[in-house]
Amino acid sequence: MSLAGTARIGQALRALAGSISAHWSRERRDTLLLLFATALTVAPQATHLPLWATVIFFLLFAWRLALVLSGRQLPGSVVLGVAGIACLAGVLAQYHTLVGREPAVTVLVLMLGLKLMEMRARRDLFVVTYLCFFVLLTLFFYTQTPLAAAAALLAVTMVVATMLTMQYGVREAPFARRLRSALLMIFQALPLAALLFVLFPRLQTPLWGSPEDAPGARTGLSDTMRPGAVASLAESEEIALRVSFEGATPQRRLLYWRGPVLGEFDGATWSEHRPAPQSTASPLVEVGSDSAALAYTVTLEPTNQRWLLALDVPTALEPVAGALPGVSAELTVYAAQPIVRRTSYRFKSHTSYLLGRDESAPVLAAALQLPAGYNPRSRELAASWRSSAPDARGIVAQGLDLFGQEPFRYTLRPPLLGRDGVDEFLFTTRAGFCEHYAAAFVVLMRAAGVPARVVTGYQGGEPDPLTHEWLVRQSDAHAWAEVWLADEGWVRVDPTGAVAPDRIELGARAPRAGSPFDFAFDPHRSFLDTLTLSLDALGQAWGEWVLSYETGHQKRLLARLGFSFDSWEDLVSLLTGTLLLLIAAVALFTLHPRPPRDPVQAAYLAFCARLAARGLRRADHESAGQLLARARASLEPERFAQARRIVALYNALRYAHPAESTPGVRHLRRLVRSFR
C-alpha cells in the first residue's frame, strides 16, 4: 500500500472520532461512520448468504469506502441500474424465485450494498440506517444463538450511534459521547423489551413464513438414506439434541438414539415403508423384571420433521407440546406436528428388552424384500451362507465376520458407488461410513433369508461437565441394522462395530476414557474444547430461558406472580395495563421541572462550599470577583493565588464559546478539588 493510501486510512480512522473537521467535511464523516455500522450489520449474515452475494456486497462496500477516502464522485444511475438488474438476475438464477426467506434476504442485502453507492443526501443516510435494522432482524431467521444476539446488539449500538451522529447540527459531540448516548438509550430500552418478552402473547406457529422456513429447521437424518447422506454431516459439530438423565447414565456403547426405521429398498435408496400410526404404545416390547427403566429429558433442536429421538427403546412417553406422541410398530416416536422450534420432552426407556417376538408374517415378508436385478454378487454370497449356516444366528455371525476379517475400512470420505452399490462396496472399494455397512449388512441378511431393516438415529454423545447433560451432535449421526430372530424378535446388530469398534465405544470424537465427566477437566484438554463446552452450556441456558419461552412457560411464570389468563385477550389487557403504569411512573420521574445542569456553575458552587467551610459564605447578590476580593484578607497567599485562578477560569468559561468548554471544565474541576 502506498504512503498516500496509508495516510488516508489513518485519516479516516481519526475522522470517526470527529477530530479532523478541518480536513474532512461533515458529510464524509457521517458516511464513514455509517459504512462501519453497515459492515457490522452484514458481517453476521455472511455465512447464511450465497458466497457470490457476500462477495458482491463487500465489493460494493469496498468501492464505496474507496470513494469516501478519495473524495471522488459516485457512479451514475445507469451503472447502478445495470448492477441492480444483475443482482436480481443472480438471485433468480440461484433460487428460481424472488419469494421466500433466502431469496428475499439475499435481495435485501444486495440492495443495501447498492444503496451505499447512491447516498447523495442526508435522507439517503437515514434510508441506509433503516435498511440496516431490517437486515439485523433477518439474522434471526437463521440462528438465534447467544453469539448471534451479541453480534446483533453490537451492530444495533453502532447503528444507533450513527443515527445520533446524523441528528447533530453545527455542534458535533465527540464519538465517545455519541457511543455512550447510544448505550444509554439501549440500556433504558431493556426494561421495556423484557416486559414485552414476558407478557407478549406467544404464538404457536412461526411469526411469518411456513414451517419449512423455521430457523434452523435442519437435521442430519431423513426418511430416506443413500450411501453418503449421513457421511456428508459426519464432521458437523452442531448439536442435535441434549439429554439429561434422572439417574445413572448408561454406558456410551448403549446410547442408541432411535429415529426413522427404513424398510423399503429400491436398489439405491432406503425409505420408510409405512406412515406413522397414531397409537401411543407398542404391544411388541417385552421388558424383563430385572431391567430398570431409564428416565431422561431430551431437548431436541429444530428438525422440521415429526420424529422424536428416543433412547432405544422407549417404553413410556409423556405429552410433547400438549399432545401425546404416536409410536410406530418399529418404535419410532412421532410428534403431532413437525418440530420447528427447540422442544423438550421426557421419556422412559429400557436398554434390555425383547422387541417383536410375535411379529406378523406380512411385516417379516416385507423385511425380506429386495429389488430384482441388483447386486448379484452379494446375493450369491448370501446364498452360500444360507446353505452353510445352521440357522439365522449363524448367518448373522458370518456377516459380521466378513466385515471384521476382510480389509474393510471406516472412512468419512467414502468413494462414490454405481448402480450395484452394495456389490461395489463389498468387493471393490471396501471403504465407507456407518450407513454403507448397515445397508450392505441388511441386503446380505435379506438375501440369506433373515428379515432385516435399517435403523437411523444417533449413537453416543459427549458429557458436558458444566450442565451434566449429554450433548449429541450431528457428527454422532449413525445407522445400524435390526434382524429378526426366532424367540428373540428384532435384535440390534451394528456392523460398524466390527470394523471400527472405537466409534461405538468412545463416540465420534473418541474422548479420553474414564469417568464420563472427568475428561472435561483433564489438564491436557485443549482450551478450545473447554471453551466449546462452556459455549454449549451458555447456549443451553439461552435456549431454556429465552428460545423455549412458550405459552406453558408464560402461564407458569405469571401464575407464580399471581396472574392467570385464559386467552390472548386477557394477556393483551395485562400487557396494556402494565405498559400504562410503566409510562406513568417514568412520566412522574422525568416530567417534573428540574433546573438545567451547568457543569461550570456546579464547579463554582463546589468552590463556594469550600470557602464557606473556612467561614467565607457567599451572599446571594455577590459576584465571583466580589467574593474573591472579600476573601483576600482571610486566605494565605498561596491559597489566594489558587482561588484567583479558579475565579478567572470560571469567569472565562461562563462567557467562553461552548466548543472550548469541555477541557476547561475538566481543568476547573481539578483546581476546585485541589483547593482546601
Side-chain angles (χ1 to χ4, degrees):
M1 182 180 293
S2 65
L3 293 178
T6 304
R8 283 175 181 161
I9 292 178
Q11 202 175 49
L13 293 175
R14 294 194 302 276
L16 285 176
S19 60
I20 54 171
S21 57
H23 299 85
W24 286 69
S25 67
R26 172 68 182 277
E27 179 183 354
R28 292 175 71 187
R29 290 200 303 273
D30 289 351
T31 302
L32 187 66
L33 184 60
L34 181 56
L35 286 174
F36 180 62
T38 305
L40 289 179
T41 298
V42 178
Q45 288 278 21
T47 58
H48 308 297
L49 296 173
L51 179 60
W52 64 268
T54 302
V55 171
I56 287 178
F57 172 83
F58 281 104
L59 284 176
L60 292 171
F61 174 85
W63 186 7
R64 187 65 175 93
L65 179 61
L67 293 178
V68 173
L69 297 177
S70 63
R72 297 180 180 177
Q73 292 184 348
L74 297 176
S77 58
V78 175
V79 175
L80 293 178
V82 172
I85 294 174
C87 289
L88 291 177
V91 175
L92 283 172
Q94 176 81 27
Y95 299 106
H96 309 291
T97 181
L98 296 178
V99 179
R101 181 184 63 187
E102 281 78 9
V105 173
T106 304
V107 168
L108 180 61
V109 172
L110 291 174
M111 293 303 106
L112 174 60
L114 290 173
K115 186 62 181 177
L116 294 177
M117 305 301 300
E118 63 167 9
M119 293 190 299
R120 305 179 186 277
R122 185 162 294 271
R123 178 184 62 84
D124 296 323
L125 300 180
F126 282 102
V127 171
V128 171
T129 300
Y130 300 145
L131 284 176
C132 286
F133 284 120
F134 276 105
V135 172
L136 283 172
L137 179 63
T138 62
L139 173 63
F140 297 101
F141 290 170
Y142 302 98
T143 176
Q144 299 174 0
T145 63
L147 184 60
L153 182 60
L154 175 62
V156 165
T157 303
M158 287 305 306
V159 174
V160 172
T162 303
M163 292 183 66
L164 291 176
T165 296
M166 293 184 290
Q167 298 294 337
Y168 283 99
V170 177
R171 293 180 56 188
E172 186 177 0
F175 176 71
R177 183 185 299 178
R178 291 174 252 162
L179 187 59
R180 285 196 301 269
S181 298
L183 290 172
L184 179 62
M185 292 175 62
I186 293 174
F187 179 77
Q188 291 172 337
L190 287 179
L192 180 60
L195 179 65
L196 292 173
F197 175 79
V198 172
L199 295 182
F200 197 84
R202 319 308 291 183
L203 302 178
Q204 300 299 324
T205 57
L207 184 58
W208 50 82
S210 61
E212 289 77 10
D213 282 342
R218 296 175 176 86
T219 181
L221 301 179
S222 173
D223 54 1
T224 61
M225 186 188 80
R226 294 175 65 95
V230 177
S232 64
L233 287 177
E235 294 179 319
S236 171
E237 292 302 306
E238 294 182 4
I239 294 177
L241 61 146
R242 307 168 190 267
V243 186
S244 176
F245 288 95
E246 298 180 11
T249 302
Q251 297 178 6
R252 192 191 303 268
R253 62 182 180 83
L254 299 177
L255 296 179
Y256 281 83
W257 306 100
R258 191 180 189 90
V261 178
L262 313 180
E264 286 194 353
F265 182 53
D266 62 4
T269 303
W270 290 88
S271 59
E272 293 182 292
H273 65 77
R274 65 178 66 184
Q278 298 303 314
S279 62
T280 58
S282 174
L284 301 177
V285 181
E286 302 174 45
V287 178
S289 58
D290 58 343
S291 178
L294 295 169
Y296 55 94
T297 299
V298 176
T299 301
L300 183 64
E301 296 296 323
T303 63
N304 201 32
Q305 303 289 345
R306 287 181 55 200
W307 55 71
L308 302 172
L309 280 299
L311 185 63
D312 198 5
V313 293
T315 54
L317 313 177
E318 292 186 2
V320 178
L324 199 62
V327 184
S328 71
E330 296 91 350
L331 284 186
T332 301
V333 184
Y334 292 88
Q337 299 293 333
I339 306 300
V340 296
R341 58 173 58 87
R342 181 178 292 190
T343 301
S344 295
Y345 51 89
R346 184 177 182 273
F347 287 172
K348 289 184 179 180
S349 294
H350 287 78
T351 57
S352 177
Y353 56 88
L354 294 176
L355 172 61
R357 285 202 300 173
D358 55 348
E359 189 66 87
S360 64
V363 172
L364 295 178
L368 290 171
Q369 296 298 318
L370 288 174
Y374 287 88
N375 304 303
R377 297 182 65 185
S378 300
R379 290 173 179 266
E380 181 181 353
L381 175 63
S384 68
W385 293 349
R386 186 169 60 243
S387 62
S388 61
D391 53 18
R393 293 178 182 82
I395 295 175
V396 171
Q398 292 198 54
L400 293 176
D401 288 342
L402 171 68
F403 293 125
Q405 297 176 5
E406 297 296 327
F408 282 90
R409 181 167 55 91
Y410 182 88
T411 176
L412 302 181
R413 294 289 181 267
L416 296 176
L417 302 176
R419 179 181 182 275
D420 295 317
V422 175
D423 277 0
E424 293 181 30
F425 170 67
L426 291 177
F427 302 105
T428 305
T429 65
R430 293 190 169 184
F433 190 53
C434 57
E435 63 180 3
H436 296 80
Y437 291 98
F441 184 82
V442 171
V443 167
L444 289 171
M445 292 300 103
R446 290 187 174 189
V450 179
R453 59 196 185 192
V454 176
V455 184
T456 59
Y458 297 89
Q459 196 281 323
E462 178 184 15
D464 186 343
L466 300 177
T467 62
H468 290 271
E469 295 177 322
W470 280 80
L471 307 178
V472 182
R473 303 179 185 273
Q474 295 293 1
S475 57
D476 295 312
H478 196 53
W480 60 94
E482 280 185 343
V483 299
W484 190 85
L485 304 177
D487 298 329
E488 292 187 51
W490 292 102
V491 177
R492 180 175 64 234
V493 180
D494 194 344
T496 303
V499 180
D502 286 349
R503 168 63 183 85
I504 309 303
E505 293 289 341
L506 301 179
R509 287 160 301 285
R512 298 176 179 86
S515 172
F517 293 101
D518 287 346
F519 77 92
F521 297 105
D522 192 317
H524 301 292
R525 187 177 181 84
S526 70
F527 171 77
L528 183 59
D529 289 342
T530 303
L531 178 62
T532 300
L533 288 175
S534 301
L535 292 177
D536 288 340
L538 176 62
Q540 171 63 0
W542 175 266
E544 180 179 353
W545 296 103
V546 178
L547 302 184
S548 297
Y549 184 73
E550 304 295 345
T551 303
H553 298 80
Q554 191 176 47
K555 287 185 176 181
R556 289 191 293 270
L557 175 60
L558 293 179
R560 287 197 294 267
L561 297 176
F563 300 99
S564 62
F565 63 93
D566 298 323
S567 64
W568 67 269
E569 291 89 348
D570 298 336
L571 200 56
V572 170
S573 300
L574 176 62
L575 175 61
T576 303
T578 307
L579 285 175
L580 291 176
L581 289 175
L582 181 62
I583 293 173
V586 173
L588 289 175
F589 179 75
T590 59
L591 296 184
H592 66 274
R594 287 185 294 178
R597 183 183 178 187
D598 185 347
V600 176
Q601 186 68 12
Y604 175 67
L605 292 178
F607 167 67
C608 293
R610 293 177 184 270
L611 287 178
R614 288 173 167 262
L616 295 171
R617 188 174 301 275
R618 181 179 68 91
D620 293 339
H621 64 278
E622 198 170 23
S623 68
Q626 292 171 337
L627 176 63
L628 180 64
R630 188 161 58 87
R632 183 184 188 98
S634 302
L635 295 177
E636 302 86 352
E638 181 181 354
R639 288 287 176 263
F640 177 74
Q642 189 176 8
R644 185 169 54 188
R645 288 195 299 271
I646 292 174
V647 170
L649 182 57
Y650 165 71
N651 287 329
L653 291 175
R654 289 290 288 176
Y655 303 100
H657 191 278
E660 302 171 359
S661 300
T662 302
V665 170
R666 288 197 293 265
H667 184 46
L668 178 61
R669 288 171 177 167
R670 285 195 296 269
L671 289 176
V672 171
R673 283 196 298 266
S674 63
F675 183 82
R676 293 290 185 270

